[in-house]
Amino acid sequence: MRLHRRNAPTSFSQPESISVDHVDPFIGNGGYSPDGSGGMIPSTAPPFAMTRWVAQTRQNYVSVTPYNYTDSVIHGFQGTHQPAIWMGESGPAIISPGAGSVESTFERRGMSFSHTDEIATASYYSVILDAIEGGTIHAEQSATSRVGHLRFTFDATAAPYVLVEATRASVMGSADPLNVTYPQGSIYIDPARREITGRNPERQDFIIGPNPASSFAGYFCARFDEPFESFGTVQNGRIKERSQEGAGALLSGFARFAHDTKRVNVRIGVSFISIEQARRNVDREIPDGTTLEQTAKKTRTEWAEKLDRIKVEGASQVDNEVLYTAIFHTLQYPYEQSEDGHYYSGYDDKVHVGVSYTGYSIWDTFRAEWAWQILLAPERINGMVQSMLQDYVEGGWLPMWKNIVGTHVDSLISEAVVKGFKGFDLETAYAAVHKDATVPPDNDWTTLYYDRQEHVGYEVRAGLSSVYASHGWVASDVHSEAGSRTLDYAYDDYAVSVLASALGKTEDAARFRTRALSAPFTIFNNDTGFMEARNANGSWAGQDAGWTEGDMWAYTFDVVHDVSALAVRRGGNASFVAFLDKHFDGGHNDHTNEPSHHIPYLYSLAGAASKSQERIREIAKANYNNSVNGLSGNEDCGQMSAWYIFSTLGFYPVDPVSGQYVIGTPFFDKVTLDLPNAPRPLVITSDGAPRNPYIRGVTVNGRKLETPILKHIDITSGGHIQFDMSNSPQEWASGTLVRI
């Protein structure tokens, strides 16, 4: 049951876009536990925005988002830079309206609300708050990439004020919420300019290092449209009237307005460079005189430009909400970090010239999210890869999540080159991925590099020098998650080999390809038929040892660059298909975590496409819906949604670096994709697909497909892909089943 509303006023629904109207930002926000749903928030911002603005119902930290649908009190509005629920916050800006006595502490400033008085769209948020001393405050919100725009309407309240929080207690991790630090920030109040500015150095993930980034801060400039009647600062709950500046922990500034003030607009620019840059961001993105309606229209237009490129026929209202919200989710991260052509780098603690992005969840997104962004946002790809290379130049390594394994940025760069992107220095790109594949981290024999291990260097390919380079596996008695590392490194080696081949480096290509094809099977236990981590001396570590967000079932299927060899190891296609059946029928497939995402498509590669078609529909039905609990697992910067989008289209990038897609089963009668840079739209027709999951045959621009594979050029060239659907299993691409 949906309690909230999505019918924004007409003035906030321009330009008209049915696609944007289908977006429900609450999908994937429910659940009492961190893994209870998608970990998404009902934020407002354009695609890939540097700062996302959201109502604040909780103090966020690793495993907690700023907003949770189960809450009934709002404590403010937060410009967040938390990219995923399992990463920390950094440099947030927080605004809290009030009336009467100024309340600065999180607990005391909260105001109750009802979801029935709440509206959320991709570009506009609205809620009615019960003011603490009586009356109501109608809070409305929109945002551009670097500037939040909020409007507060006071009805029958005491004298209105707005509080701007500079620093708060910062929770260091999910293990112990009482383990906090107290960032030392600053606040400045300029009544003549009607501005409150400041600096917030909060960076919750600093403990997992290795870069100290000592100059890091989120800077802000909040500009109001009403004069200040009075003002002051607050530190640790103590109000200092008429104070125009302050420094330290637990720090805020506030402005009071005349008692008869009914409406206050505030535009708050955020920057990673300086207060002055935050001020310039306001002037550039939401200049003086801009109405909230105009800001929302600008942001809605940016969403419409992307979402209107996908047109669907044969989908229900629920289907449309799930699909377009999924697309909305896939275009949020990584987020822009550059401002006016400059960016702050935490790697060397300096400001540089260039375009920059951050907030990658590469272990998750290399699977399908990156492939989707290549299709729908190609104008971003060169800049994103260039940003990765800047990380390498400034910090010595390409980016990776600090709490996950593998160097899958190798896959992202290789896939981009394979798919035609070369707007960055290719030699630097190769030098960077080559280093990933050949240089071990510090203390490779002595540091475990376990999940979120604190105060250690870049783990990159931990175990590279401790057995992997010489024998082909990562040792479980030396490193954590050794089984997963072995298989992930093998795929990364494959990605490096593909890039080497594209650049004419034939010897390197052969070297890394050989290692990529052999390494996975060094941990294949012929006696059990499963992958199993090994110790340094070659002994088996046990079937439950060494896995990342999965188990031996999921990872035994994780040789996506050589599925045919894996099938042979399992006794051939018929035996492999039976093994897949055992995996699914035994309840081992866990779609809430990414290592399982490709598995249903493996049937197609083993000559059992009709079984892929069954499993894909089952997974979609069980793991996606249009409720707040509409994602069964964490979104992880778009990967959960990317799986759904590709699956609805009828194909999925099982091996993304290959430039090929494995055919599954389309969900709708017709989908038209107007992809940027494509010479013509791609029309996918599959009459009767909502009721008929099976495929009788496929043609691409009139050419019959005998195998369940599409090439990247088949999609980006546009044209017509036609699926002939059926309500019963068919022989197409299912020769293994026919022979059985």
Side-chain angles (χ1 to χ4, degrees):
M1 178 181 177
R2 178 183 287 120
L3 300 177
H4 59 272
R5 296 184 292 139
R6 292 191 298 118
N7 54 328
T10 302
S11 57
F12 289 99
S13 301
Q14 303 299 320
E16 292 185 2
S17 171
I18 294 175
S19 303
V20 178
D21 289 341
H22 286 315
V23 172
D24 186 347
F26 287 105
I27 290 177
N29 179 257
Y32 289 93
S33 68
D35 288 316
S37 189
M40 293 304 292
I41 55 175
S43 59
T44 49
F48 306 106
M50 188 175 87
T51 306
R52 308 197 66 80
W53 283 87
V54 63
Q56 183 193 41
T57 69
R58 298 184 177 189
Q59 296 275 39
N60 66 317
Y61 52 91
V62 175
S63 79
V64 177
T65 55
Y67 181 102
N68 188 283
Y69 198 81
T70 62
D71 297 331
S72 58
V73 175
I74 287 175
H75 304 260
F77 297 86
Q78 182 168 338
T80 180
H81 304 117
Q82 183 181 23
I85 192 171
W86 289 110
M87 296 303 288
E89 179 66 276
S90 57
I94 298 171
I95 294 275
S96 181
S101 300
V102 173
E103 299 289 357
S104 64
T105 62
F106 181 83
E107 294 77 15
R108 292 177 62 88
R109 72 181 187 233
M111 292 174 279
S112 61
F113 75 103
S114 169
H115 289 303
T116 58
D117 294 324
E118 195 175 28
I119 298 171
T121 73
S123 55
Y124 172 73
Y125 175 85
S126 168
V127 66
I128 296 176
L129 306 171
D130 295 324
I132 296 172
E133 296 182 19
T136 62
I137 301 173
H138 181 197
E140 299 170 280
Q141 168 188 287
S142 189
T144 57
S145 181
R146 301 162 187 83
V147 185
H149 193 161
L150 297 104
R151 183 167 72 190
F152 305 120
T153 302
F154 300 86
D155 185 9
T157 68
Y161 70 85
V162 174
L163 179 91
V164 182
E165 184 174 77
T167 55
R168 60 180 183 172
S170 183
V171 179
M172 287 295 94
S174 58
D176 181 11
L178 298 180
N179 178 20
V180 299
T181 61
Y182 294 92
Q184 304 290 305
S186 57
I187 197 91
Y188 308 93
I189 302 174
D190 187 339
R193 280 185 160 180
R194 301 178 184 175
E195 288 182 351
I196 299 178
T197 60
R199 174 182 179 275
N200 179 4
E202 180 178 12
R203 187 167 75 98
Q204 292 175 346
D205 288 328
F206 80 89
I207 55 174
I208 54 176
N211 300 96
S214 56
S215 299
F216 171 83
Y219 301 91
F220 57 86
C221 173
R223 187 181 300 167
F224 299 83
D225 69 340
E226 294 291 331
F228 301 172
E229 182 167 84
S230 62
F231 54 85
T233 59
V234 189
Q235 191 155 24
N236 199 17
R238 293 186 60 185
I239 295 175
K240 191 174 182 180
E241 297 285 354
R242 305 296 297 177
S243 170
Q244 288 189 246
E245 62 182 81
L250 304 174
L251 180 68
S252 300
F254 65 88
R256 293 192 189 92
F257 305 94
H259 192 283
D260 59 355
T261 301
K262 297 301 181 185
R263 177 173 287 181
V264 174
N265 277 273
V266 56
R267 293 159 292 140
I268 177 164
V270 178
S271 171
F272 293 122
I273 296 175
S274 66
I275 290 174
E276 186 53 42
Q277 182 62 54
R279 181 176 289 118
R280 283 195 293 268
N281 291 343
V282 174
D283 292 334
R284 178 181 292 271
E285 296 190 7
I286 311 181
D288 295 351
T290 304
T291 66
L292 184 64
E293 287 82 357
Q294 290 170 329
T295 299
K297 181 178 180 180
K298 178 181 178 182
T299 297
R300 182 178 167 93
T301 298
E302 292 188 46
W303 282 113
E305 194 281 327
K306 288 302 182 190
L307 272 62
D308 285 348
R309 291 180 176 275
I310 298 95
K311 293 181 171 57
V312 181
E313 297 178 25
S316 68
Q317 178 65 21
V318 170
D319 292 332
N320 278 319
E321 290 178 9
V322 174
L323 176 61
Y324 284 100
T325 302
I327 300 169
F328 170 70
H329 286 170
T330 62
L331 301 179
Q332 295 186 15
Y333 300 104
Y335 62 83
E336 297 172 336
Q337 192 180 26
S338 46
E339 312 162 56
D340 286 344
H342 296 77
Y343 65 92
Y344 167 80
S345 171
Y347 294 101
D348 61 4
D349 207 31
K350 297 178 181 178
V351 174
H352 298 266
V353 174
V355 173
S356 183
Y357 293 83
T358 191
Y360 299 97
S361 183
I362 295 173
W363 183 84
D364 306 290
T365 61
F366 89 96
R367 303 167 197 273
E369 161 76 339
W370 182 243
W372 176 243
Q373 291 179 343
I374 282 174
L375 291 175
L376 193 59
E379 73 283 355
R380 300 271 183 170
I381 301 302
N382 283 323
M384 289 179 178
V385 174
Q386 180 59 42
S387 178
M388 299 171 196
L389 300 183
Q390 288 162 185
D391 290 353
Y392 164 71
V393 171
E394 294 150 16
W397 295 98
L398 289 165
M400 64 178 292
W401 271 151
K402 275 295 297 176
N403 61 330
I404 212 72
V405 302
T407 57
H408 294 316
V409 66
D410 306 336
S411 175
L412 267 59
I413 294 173
S414 181
E415 182 182 0
V417 173
V418 165
K419 294 179 177 178
F421 294 90
K422 298 180 181 178
F424 43 86
D425 189 278
L426 292 171
E427 289 302 320
T428 300
Y430 186 72
V433 302
H434 185 272
K435 181 178 181 181
D436 281 346
T438 58
V439 179
D442 294 338
N443 306 313
D444 196 23
W445 275 94
T446 57
T447 302
L448 285 175
Y449 290 106
Y450 59 81
D451 186 17
R452 300 193 69 83
Q453 185 170 354
E454 299 176 8
H455 307 300
V456 296
Y458 292 102
E459 66 179 273
V460 283
R461 296 204 201 177
L464 185 66
S465 65
S466 53
V467 186
Y468 181 81
S470 57
H471 292 84
W473 69 83
V474 176
S476 188
D477 51 349
V478 178
H479 291 294
S480 67
E481 304 161 276
S484 297
R485 290 183 192 274
T486 299
L487 296 167
D488 283 353
Y489 296 0
Y491 189 77
D492 296 335
D493 277 340
Y494 163 72
V496 175
S497 76
V498 171
L499 182 58
S501 180
L503 299 181
K505 302 178 186 298
T506 55
E507 290 186 8
D508 277 2
R511 170 191 174 195
F512 291 117
R513 187 172 186 83
T514 297
R515 194 165 74 177
L517 297 178
S518 62
F521 300 108
T522 66
I523 65 167
F524 185 86
N525 188 329
N526 289 308
D527 293 334
T528 65
F530 286 93
M531 297 292 180
E532 185 175 344
R534 301 179 77 166
N535 294 317
N537 65 6
S539 62
W540 298 110
Q543 292 185 326
D544 296 329
W547 306 121
T548 302
E549 296 188 12
D551 58 14
M552 67 177 184
W553 283 93
Y555 278 99
T556 296
F557 295 107
D558 194 19
V559 192
V560 297
H561 57 295
D562 200 0
V563 175
S564 60
L566 178 62
V568 168
R569 288 283 182 145
R570 285 293 315 181
N573 281 349
S575 177
F576 187 61
V577 168
F579 184 49
L580 282 163
D581 285 342
K582 190 175 181 180
H583 171 78
F584 284 100
D585 294 340
H588 301 292
N589 199 69
D590 180 11
H591 194 73
T592 66
N593 276 317
E594 285 73 15
S596 293
H597 282 193
H598 68 282
I599 296 177
Y601 287 88
L602 298 185
Y603 281 112
S604 292
L605 295 177
S610 63
K611 284 184 174 284
S612 275
Q613 294 149 22
E614 293 173 0
R615 301 299 189 185
I616 291 163
R617 293 291 183 97
E618 291 170 358
I619 291 169
K621 183 177 181 180
N623 292 274
Y624 300 86
N625 62 62
N626 68 332
S627 75
V628 294
N629 299 311
L631 290 172
S632 64
N634 294 155
E635 178 64 87
D636 290 329
C637 294
Q639 172 56 30
M640 278 288 289
S641 287
W643 183 94
Y644 183 83
I645 296 165
F646 273 119
S647 294
T648 65
L649 298 177
F651 48 87
Y652 184 82
V654 170
D655 172 6
V657 172
S658 71
Q660 297 181 339
Y661 304 80
V662 178
I663 290 176
T665 171
F667 291 9
F668 309 122
D669 293 321
K670 182 179 179 181
V671 178
T672 301
L673 299 176
D674 182 15
L675 298 176
N677 303 334
R680 55 183 173 171
L682 175 66
V683 180
I684 302 170
T685 57
S686 44
D687 292 341
R691 302 173 304 281
N692 303 303
Y694 301 102
I695 296 174
R696 187 178 288 110
V698 184
T699 61
V700 178
N701 296 320
R703 171 175 53 89
K704 287 187 177 181
L705 291 186
E706 301 300 331
T707 58
I709 300 293
L710 289 172
K711 297 179 180 178
H712 187 64
I713 194 69
D714 294 331
I715 299 166
T716 56
S717 294
H720 186 203
I721 300 175
Q722 183 169 0
F723 292 88
D724 184 10
M725 308 303 292
S726 172
N727 63 1
S728 60
Q730 299 294 303
E731 293 185 8
W732 181 80
S734 296
T736 298
L737 298 179
V738 173
R739 287 188 291 275
I740 293 174

